[in-house]
Amino acid sequence: MASKKSEPKNESISEAFHQLLEKGFSEEAVINIITNTLKAACKRRYGTAENCIVKISEDFKDVSVFQRKVIVDGVYDPNTEIEIDEAKELNPDSELGLEIDIPINLSEFDRSAVQTGKQTAHQSFTEIQKDSLYAEYKMKIGETIIGYYQRERKDTIYVDLGKVEGVLPPRNQLKTERYEKNDRIKALIVDVKKSSSGLQIILSRTDPDFVRSLLEVEVPELYDKTVEIFKVVREPGYRTKVAVFSKREDIDPVGSCVGLKGGRIKGVITELGNEKIDVLKYDPDPRVFIKNALSPAEVSAVYIRDEGKRQALAVVPENQFSLAIGKQGLNVRLANRLCDWNIDVKTEEECSAEELDELVAESRKAVQELFNDDYDEITTIQELPGVDENVAAILKENNIVDIEDFMAASENGELANIQGLTEENIATLLALIESSVEFIEEEESESDVDSSDAVDSDDNSEEVYECPECGAAITIDMTTCPNCGVGLSFEEEE
């Protein structure tokens, strides 16, 4: 393909290129913007941009535009073809059938072509900025952000977030809250959407993860994973239940979240408009977990009716019944969602004799198991009672079969790299291990102890003394000295 040296560089385009680089645009983005702008102007000027070639030097100082034409003998389309004689004037090496790049003088473009180029450049800038902001805020989904009330339209609140505008739909608002112009709003980023008008950041103040995020800010133990949140359920504006657990026995997970005199939880309650928050301890035993989940009510006992269907009965004293049920059934409804069990609450008087007998039998069984010294040895994940088979299968595929291997992987952070294993799966399994397994060091066997005692007894029986008369060697089993014949008697000193 023949070509001709381009016109002198266009200083204004080169300057614009460097100005865009200084504003933070990437080289690739700036090249695309300038290329698309010049091609749009060419299309407006010549009717097509398919044969428009934009060349940019490596140092970005030279920007040239060409029209690539086919060398022919008899021109049919002057925009894509050039006569052989005319081509040889531009390049002596030109031949029929070859292509030649003809330089375009940008100063010859009319006003309409220039205007088209400007519009294309503006659209390109808008798209690049939108893509950049989209990528930035997409990474922030699940984080809290602070903005300011801007306006309200059809019950949807628009929040000024600085670079972009946040949208707080009616379903994501707390019904008890009202805002005025420039009021501060803290919310959770739940989604990011592109629209014709720009970028929309979807916010929420009703999502359970909003409470989780607020707690992680207030409680250092949650940040360093010493205490972890098992699950959060909410009835926005009214009540929230948070189940927590700790990997260390010396740390109280509930106390860590509540803080001294409620200092830590108060900040969260205030942010949620005085919404009630129950922080309770997670337990892998469903009976204990259900009992905790029905707080602040005191539960006498929990009876598992059908483990397969996850149905349970909670028995409470008469004076605790309304507290366990809650206003319009709110408390027991949240407990159902938190434990993922269908919980029926009855008073002791409402329970049938048969149900009470079964409760007593279960209580006796629990006491027997508590004081039973016979333990089953558990070494693998699969042997854990109530373990999720899917989780065990995923760990097995990653060569984690033994409980000790799982604990080691948890400590060094390898579990986070296992595909298909969520943080909730890990937290549940850690809590299950903590409640089901006791790690003990191997002790010296009884046979070793017996043999050691035997050696000590042999040493005692062979202890040698001196005869008080002649000084000959005697032992404790002798009655007379074998040397001098004096009688011997051994007495223990008090």
Side-chain angles (χ1 to χ4, degrees):
M1 179 183 70
S3 64
K4 181 181 182 301
K5 189 175 179 182
S6 65
E7 296 279 339
K9 63 184 179 179
N10 191 309
E11 295 290 346
S12 60
I13 295 180
S14 176
E15 183 180 351
F17 187 97
H18 288 284
Q19 287 177 352
L20 291 173
L21 289 177
E22 291 174 358
K23 288 183 178 180
F25 290 95
S26 66
E27 291 182 1
E28 182 181 359
V30 175
I31 291 173
N32 288 335
I33 290 174
I34 291 179
T35 300
N36 293 337
T37 300
L38 293 174
K39 283 189 174 183
C42 285
K43 185 175 182 179
R44 182 69 177 179
R45 176 72 174 80
Y46 300 108
T48 180
E50 292 182 1
N51 62 336
C52 178
I53 307 299
V54 179
K55 295 182 179 180
I56 301 175
S57 63
E58 293 184 359
D59 58 1
F60 308 115
K61 292 182 178 179
D62 187 8
V63 181
S64 303
V65 186
F66 300 86
Q67 243 187 334
R68 181 163 291 174
K69 296 183 178 182
V70 180
I71 303 172
V72 296
D73 187 8
V75 174
Y76 177 76
D77 183 1
N79 287 327
T80 59
E81 297 173 342
I82 186 172
E83 285 283 358
I84 180 67
D85 295 337
E86 186 179 351
K88 284 188 175 182
E89 290 179 4
L90 297 173
N91 191 330
D93 298 330
S94 300
E95 297 179 8
L96 285 173
L98 296 180
E99 293 179 333
I100 183 171
D101 291 341
I102 311 298
I104 296 176
N105 188 353
L106 300 180
S107 62
E108 296 179 357
F109 281 5
D110 56 20
R111 179 173 294 180
S112 63
V114 173
Q115 189 64 29
T116 301
K118 286 182 178 180
Q119 290 175 354
T120 304
H122 179 72
Q123 290 174 358
S124 299
F125 289 140
T126 304
E127 286 299 320
I128 288 176
Q129 290 175 337
K130 188 186 295 185
D131 291 341
S132 176
L133 288 172
Y134 179 82
E136 177 185 346
Y137 282 92
K138 194 73 175 176
M139 297 291 292
K140 293 182 178 180
I141 289 179
E143 298 180 8
T144 55
I145 192 169
I146 297 175
Y148 296 91
Y149 179 91
Q150 195 173 37
R151 67 185 188 279
E152 185 172 344
R153 183 182 178 187
K154 294 181 179 179
D155 295 329
T156 297
I157 295 174
Y158 293 87
V159 184
D160 181 10
L161 299 176
K163 297 180 182 178
V164 293
E165 186 177 63
V167 179
L168 193 61
R171 66 180 182 276
N172 294 350
Q173 302 173 24
L174 295 176
K175 296 179 181 179
T176 55
E177 293 182 333
R178 295 292 180 270
Y179 299 100
E180 300 292 338
K181 183 71 174 178
N182 294 325
D183 278 356
R184 169 187 166 279
I185 298 177
K186 180 183 283 189
L188 184 78
I189 299 176
V190 293
D191 198 7
V192 181
K193 294 181 179 179
K194 290 182 180 179
S195 65
S196 57
S197 59
L199 204 64
Q200 281 193 339
I201 311 299
I202 310 300
L203 306 175
S204 176
R205 284 180 57 82
T206 60
D207 197 291
D209 284 336
F210 182 47
V211 180
R212 183 191 295 266
S213 182
L214 293 174
L215 280 171
E216 288 174 350
V217 173
E218 297 287 341
V219 183
E221 289 84 354
L222 288 174
Y223 178 79
D224 61 20
K225 303 296 184 181
T226 305
V227 175
E228 294 189 30
I229 297 176
F230 175 73
K231 193 174 182 180
V232 181
V233 292
R234 281 186 80 186
E235 194 71 28
Y238 299 99
R239 198 177 207 97
T240 294
K241 287 185 180 288
V242 184
V244 296
F245 68 95
S246 174
K247 296 179 180 178
R248 292 171 50 181
E249 294 182 358
D250 59 330
I251 292 182
D252 176 19
V254 176
S256 299
C257 294
V258 173
L260 183 63
K261 296 182 180 179
R264 292 177 175 178
I265 202 68
K266 280 180 182 177
V268 181
I269 293 173
T270 302
E271 181 61 42
L272 298 178
N274 294 323
E275 182 176 316
K276 294 179 181 178
I277 301 179
D278 298 331
V279 182
L280 54 101
K281 186 176 181 181
Y282 166 74
D283 197 290
D285 185 344
R287 297 173 185 82
V288 179
F289 191 24
I290 291 171
K291 188 174 182 179
N292 295 343
L294 287 170
S295 64
E298 295 179 5
V299 180
S300 302
V302 176
Y303 162 59
I304 304 299
R305 284 177 167 172
D306 191 326
E307 190 166 358
K309 295 180 180 179
R310 300 179 74 84
Q311 295 178 347
L313 169 67
V315 180
V316 298
E318 184 71 32
N319 61 350
Q320 295 290 312
F321 182 74
S322 59
L323 194 60
I325 295 296
K327 187 177 181 181
Q328 297 180 345
L330 178 60
N331 193 59
V332 70
R333 190 164 61 248
L334 287 175
N336 285 342
R337 288 163 51 191
L338 186 66
C339 302
D340 197 21
W341 279 75
N342 185 12
I343 306 169
D344 185 18
V345 180
K346 289 185 178 182
T347 63
E348 295 170 353
E349 291 77 9
E350 292 174 336
C351 288
S352 64
E354 183 180 351
E355 287 175 333
L356 288 175
D357 290 341
E358 290 181 356
L359 285 172
V360 172
E362 283 215 355
S363 300
R364 288 175 178 173
K365 183 179 178 182
V367 171
Q368 289 175 355
E369 291 176 353
L370 181 64
F371 292 98
N372 189 5
D373 293 334
D374 297 331
Y375 296 96
D376 293 330
E377 185 176 354
I378 298 177
T379 58
T380 65
I381 299 293
Q382 193 68 43
E383 294 174 338
L384 287 169
V387 68
D388 189 323
E389 293 183 0
N390 293 330
V391 174
I394 292 172
L395 292 171
K396 187 175 182 181
E397 289 175 2
N398 290 271
N399 299 321
I400 300 178
V401 178
D402 294 337
I403 295 174
E404 292 184 355
D405 294 339
F406 175 81
M407 298 301 292
S410 174
E411 291 178 1
N412 59 32
E414 292 180 4
L415 296 179
N417 301 324
I418 297 179
Q419 189 173 5
L421 196 66
T422 65
E423 290 186 3
E424 187 173 335
N425 294 146
I426 298 171
T428 303
L429 194 52
L430 284 171
L432 183 60
I433 291 173
E434 181 183 355
S435 64
S436 305
V437 180
E438 180 181 358
F439 295 93
I440 56 175
E441 297 180 0
E442 293 185 359
E443 298 180 356
E444 189 178 3
S445 63
E446 292 183 3
S447 59
D448 294 337
V449 175
D450 293 341
S451 61
S452 176
D453 292 342
V455 171
D456 292 341
S457 63
D458 290 343
D459 291 343
N460 290 335
S461 63
E462 294 177 358
E463 194 170 356
V464 179
Y465 299 91
E466 289 184 357
C467 176
E469 292 294 331
C470 64
I474 58 175
T475 59
I476 198 169
D477 58 338
M478 295 181 181
T479 56
T480 58
C481 177
N483 184 38
C484 64
V486 68
L488 300 175
S489 176
F490 294 90
E491 295 181 0
E492 293 183 2
E493 293 183 358
E494 296 183 357

